[in-house]
Amino acid sequence: MAFKSTLGKLPRTLGAGSASRLALPQTRSFATPVPPVTQDATGSKGPTAMVFLNMGGPSKTDEVGDFLSRLFSDGDLIPLGRLQSYIGPLLATRRTPKIVKQYSDIGGGSPIRKWSEYQNAEMCKILDKISPETAPHKPYVAFRYANPLTEEMYAKLLEDGFGNGKGGRAVAFTQYPQYSCSTTGSSLNELWKWRHRMEGKTNEENPAGSIAWSVIDRWPVHHGLVEAFAQNIEAKLAEYPPERRNDVVLLFSAHSLPMSIVNRGDPYPAEVAATVYAVMQRLKFSNPYRLCWQSQVGPSAWLGPQTSDTVQNYVAKGQKDLVLIPIAFTSDHIETLYELDLEVIHESGSPETVKRAESLNGSPVFIEALADIAKTHLASGVACSAQMGLRCPGCKSERCAESKRFFAGQQEFI
């Protein structure tokens, strides 16, 4: 998420709603099976499209304005009420010059597209070997607010021979390890929208020969993810003198959420905490640690403590050996390269002793973890997890209900 660096102060319009029950659609079948996408000799069920979902970021500074406009227009991420279509673009226009400067300071753009495309391509190479029955695996990236957008990805799927009467299988693989309605939920809502715009037919939920979708919606304690984080932490701890190493405080930092979202039942805080605890178990609790939250914006209450305040408070108390760990991000972007590196660490007054663990980026351990998660999912024959089908107790979004209903209903077609 890129809230702090992109949002500024927002109106107090974030709210929660009432509970609603998810109803699964009635099953239906087609009299004549539609031939799938042309099969490759290596697989009996392939090809399989592996679609990475993420927020994305502008690759160049001239993309910042469009990126911010899409971001501020997303009611799942930033609920602004009935004036969303007016307030969103206005906020984006006001913030663009400042954010252009920030992206210039980290090299002229976000590296998240580069890393996402690399991670997916490398994962698919592994999948072709360990899951030959679903090969070949074709990598796609769908960003919520930056190129390649969800609609661009879907057009490429159709161009490559998926859907449009040819069938085929696709997996929506969230690159947020911990689920939040404002991140994974928003991306899935967008995918659902474009699925119906580009493949749907009047009064038909699953037209013959459309793409069959399944979802990997969360993976907060996967052993490979935990191992990749742990190895990067150990590498950073090794930079401290042996006599100080075990006293270094590990500060796990994740993007915060407004308490209005937390209080309606969003699972994100619990899943982030689960990741932190799993990593500390792997490290055998070698160091003291805390979980803190970055990027709070606006006047409303947010989940805390804030990362910047936490670092400053510890340094003021004399605890200057600190390692920041971006625990909810799978690659570098503006939240790590600018907010943590250029703001939090620089403003700590102790840049020699306050350090950041490397992001996962091109870690072979992490990429192998992605392949293992995907293989397990493909072998399971499950369209989406039971947890994904459960709406937040305070949710009142009908779009969320319809999106969840659609993906659960894909069980009939995978």
Side-chain angles (χ1 to χ4, degrees):
M1 305 181 221
F3 289 178
K4 180 179 179 182
S5 299
T6 54
L7 301 195
K9 292 188 177 181
L10 302 179
R12 294 176 181 264
T13 55
L14 298 172
S18 59
S20 180
R21 181 179 298 273
L22 176 66
L24 297 181
Q26 294 181 345
T27 59
R28 70 175 67 168
S29 60
F30 300 107
T32 304
V34 177
V37 177
T38 302
Q39 303 295 298
D40 183 272
T42 60
S44 61
K45 298 179 181 178
T48 306
M50 303 301 300
V51 181
F52 274 16
L53 304 178
N54 211 328
M55 171 180 285
S59 298
K60 300 179 293 183
T61 54
D62 59 9
E63 298 175 1
V64 170
D66 289 340
F67 168 75
L68 292 180
S69 182
R70 297 184 191 105
L71 187 148
F72 281 102
S73 297
D74 180 11
D76 291 324
L77 183 70
I78 312 165
L80 298 175
R82 289 176 294 178
L83 297 178
Q84 184 102 32
S85 61
Y86 171 75
I87 297 176
L90 179 62
L91 291 172
T93 300
R94 293 174 59 182
R95 294 287 292 170
T96 294
K98 179 179 180 179
I99 305 308
V100 165
K101 173 64 166 58
Q102 293 181 358
Y103 276 106
S104 297
D105 289 345
I106 63 170
S110 172
I112 193 170
R113 178 172 184 172
K114 176 192 75 172
W115 285 122
S116 296
E117 291 176 343
Y118 174 80
Q119 291 164 348
N120 199 349
E122 293 301 305
M123 179 196 74
C124 284
K125 291 177 185 177
I126 298 173
L127 276 177
D128 286 347
K129 297 177 182 178
I130 65 176
S131 183
E133 63 275 14
T134 53
H137 301 87
K138 298 176 67 64
Y140 299 85
V141 171
F143 284 155
R144 186 65 182 85
Y145 313 113
N147 299 324
L149 296 166
T150 305
E151 57 265 40
E152 296 173 33
M153 177 280 299
Y154 219 111
K156 188 67 168 66
L157 279 178
L158 299 177
E159 179 185 326
D160 288 350
F162 292 88
N164 274 343
K166 300 176 183 178
R169 172 77 185 277
V171 177
F173 192 167
T174 179
Q175 292 306 292
Y176 306 102
Q178 306 92 4
Y179 186 98
S180 174
C181 299
S182 61
T183 54
T184 301
S186 178
S187 288
L188 290 174
N189 288 345
E190 186 76 354
L191 176 59
W192 168 76
K193 179 184 78 175
W194 285 103
R195 152 65 175 74
H196 285 286
R197 287 188 180 182
M198 302 183 80
E199 284 202 277
K201 297 179 181 178
T202 303
N203 299 322
E204 195 166 353
E205 179 81 359
N206 287 285
S210 60
I211 298 171
W213 284 93
S214 63
V215 179
I216 302 173
D217 61 288
R218 71 198 76 205
W219 32 286
V221 293
H222 184 271
H223 60 86
L225 174 72
V226 170
E227 180 63 27
F229 276 129
Q231 289 189 11
N232 284 357
I233 294 169
E234 289 173 331
K236 189 57 60 175
L237 285 172
E239 298 179 9
Y240 293 86
E243 65 274 13
R244 290 161 46 196
R245 193 168 299 154
N246 289 342
D247 295 323
V248 175
V249 174
L250 305 181
L251 295 180
F252 294 88
S253 183
H255 200 290
S256 187
L257 283 179
M259 288 306 297
S260 58
I261 295 178
V262 174
N263 290 339
R264 78 182 180 207
D266 195 285
Y268 175 73
E271 294 191 9
V272 172
T275 306
V276 170
Y277 197 80
V279 171
M280 290 310 303
Q281 282 185 311
R282 157 59 178 79
L283 294 173
K284 299 181 180 179
F285 298 96
S286 59
N287 293 72
Y289 70 98
R290 284 292 185 274
L291 170 58
C292 46
W293 308 88
Q294 64 186 90
S295 311
Q296 175 176 331
V297 295
S300 61
W302 284 60
L303 188 63
Q306 283 292 295
T307 302
S308 56
D309 294 340
T310 300
V311 170
Q312 292 175 3
N313 288 337
Y314 275 129
V315 169
K317 290 179 170 65
Q319 176 62 53
K320 298 183 179 181
D321 289 342
L322 305 168
V323 172
L324 297 170
I325 304 112
I327 197 66
F329 306 131
T330 59
S331 61
D332 276 322
H333 61 306
I334 198 168
E335 301 287 348
T336 58
L337 299 176
Y338 188 87
E339 184 178 352
L340 293 182
D341 291 354
L342 299 184
E343 286 189 331
V344 173
I345 292 178
H346 176 74
E347 293 172 5
S348 71
S350 299
E352 300 81 13
T353 59
V354 179
K355 304 175 185 287
R356 177 174 70 85
E358 292 296 320
S359 297
L360 300 178
N361 292 339
S363 162
V365 174
F366 174 62
I367 293 170
E368 289 175 5
L370 293 173
D372 183 68
I373 293 165
K375 179 182 185 300
T376 301
H377 172 76
L378 288 166
S380 72
V382 174
C384 62
S385 70
Q387 184 72 340
M388 178 183 152
L390 181 66
R391 294 173 67 189
C392 294
C395 177
K396 62 178 181 180
S397 168
E398 287 306 312
R399 182 170 61 165
C400 175
E402 291 297 325
S403 172
K404 287 178 179 293
R405 187 176 295 117
F406 167 77
F407 287 111
Q410 289 290 286
Q411 185 65 52
E412 178 182 355
F413 305 100
I414 62 171

